[in-house]
Amino acid sequence: MSTARPTYELLYHPGIPGRGEYIRLPLEAAKPSGVKYIDVANQEEGGYDRVQALMKDDIQPPNFAPPMLRVAGAGKNGKDLVIHQTPNILQYLGPRIGMIPSDETDAWHVNQLALTALDLSNEAHDTHHPVAVMKYYEEQKEEALKKAQDFRENRIPKFFTYFEKTLNGNKPEGKGQYLVGEKLTYADTTLWQVVDGLMFAFPKELEARKADFPLIFETFYPKFKEEAGIKEYLQSDRRLKYSMGIFRYYKELDRQ
C-alpha cells in the first residue's frame, strides 16, 4: 500500500476568498510539512468547468454547493472521495494535515471553536443580505442597515468576548496565540479569517473595538501572519482580495 501523501483538490468559485478561504488557510499552513493541494478553479485552465461538472455528477449523495474537497482514490472501493460543507472538510483535513491536537478532547474543542467562528461568518454575510440571498443588496438596503447595526453593537462583541476568553484561558499553553493547545489548529485559521474579513467589511467598528479585545488584536491576529506557510501565502497572489463574497464593504453599514 502506498504511503504517499495525496494531493488535495479544493473545488470552489474562482476569484474570491469566500468560504473556500477557510479551507485554503489550513492547507497553506500545512505546506511546510509536505501537504500538497490544488485550488482547481484558480490554478488550472478550465478548472471552474470541473467544479461545475461535479455539481452535476450523478453521485450519491450529490454535491450541494462548493467548497468541495476531492481526494483521489480515498473513497469507497478506491474511488475518489468528494465531500462538501466547510466544517465537514475541516474536520476531515484536521487529523490528516496536522491541524488538530492529538488529544481527543482538544480535537473536539477545536471543532467547536471553528463552528462558532463560522457562525459569526454567516452572521456577517447576513448583514448585507438580511432578507433574501437571491436579491441584490440594494433591494434590501433598509433592512441591511438595521441588521448591520445590531451585528456591530451586539453580535461582534458577544463573539469576540467569547474568543478573547478562550485565548486567555489557553494562555499557559497558547500564549494568547492559539485557541487550543500550543500550536496552530484549524480553529485558529478559521477565526483569523473571520477577524480579517470583518476588518475589511467593518473597519471603523473593529478599530473601535481593539482596546476591548487585546489578545485578539495584539497577539492572535498579528502573530498568525508570521506562521510558517501562512506568511508566504498572505504575501502571494494566491491570497485573493475581498470583493463580493461573504465579507463586503459598504460604508453605510459600518460604524458612523
Side-chain angles (χ1 to χ4, degrees), residues 96-199:
R96 292 167 174 82
I97 65 173
M99 292 297 290
I100 60 167
S102 58
D103 180 82
E104 184 180 13
T105 299
D106 285 346
W108 285 118
H109 287 156
V110 166
N111 195 54
Q112 165 185 296
L113 290 159
L115 288 168
T116 304
L118 289 171
D119 286 344
L120 179 55
S121 175
N122 289 337
E123 291 197 27
H125 172 272
D126 290 349
T127 60
H128 52 77
H129 277 74
V131 176
V133 173
M134 299 308 292
K135 290 182 179 292
Y136 290 109
Y137 164 70
E138 290 74 16
E139 297 178 80
Q140 48 197 312
K141 187 173 178 179
E142 183 177 346
E143 294 88 349
L145 289 167
K146 297 175 183 177
K147 180 71 173 179
Q149 181 178 357
D150 177 68
F151 180 72
R152 295 193 322 269
E153 293 177 358
N154 299 303
R155 305 305 288 166
I156 287 177
K158 181 178 179 68
F159 278 94
F160 277 21
T161 297
Y162 170 74
F163 286 116
E164 183 82 4
K165 183 177 180 180
T166 303
L167 287 166
N168 190 57
N170 190 49
K171 222 174 178 182
E173 288 188 84
K175 313 299 182 187
Q177 188 172 351
Y178 305 119
L179 289 163
V180 179
E182 58 184 15
K183 68 172 189 174
L184 194 70
T185 69
Y186 71 79
D188 301 309
T189 60
T190 303
L191 175 60
W192 186 89
Q193 175 59 17
V194 176
V195 174
D196 192 66
L198 290 175
M199 290 175 76

Side-chain angles (χ1 to χ4, degrees), residues 21-75:
E21 199 67 12
Y22 296 118
I23 313 303
R24 291 187 195 99
L25 283 172
L27 287 168
E28 291 286 347
K31 271 188 173 181
S33 67
V35 170
K36 298 178 181 179
Y37 87 100
I38 299 171
D39 187 346
V40 173
N42 287 306
Q43 293 180 294
E44 292 191 350
E45 186 175 351
Y48 195 47
D49 291 337
R50 292 179 56 202
V51 175
Q52 292 176 309
L54 269 176
M55 297 299 301
K56 300 173 183 176
D57 277 0
D58 187 20
I59 61 174
Q60 199 58 242
N63 296 303
F64 183 73
M68 300 176 287
L69 184 78
R70 176 160 58 187
V71 189

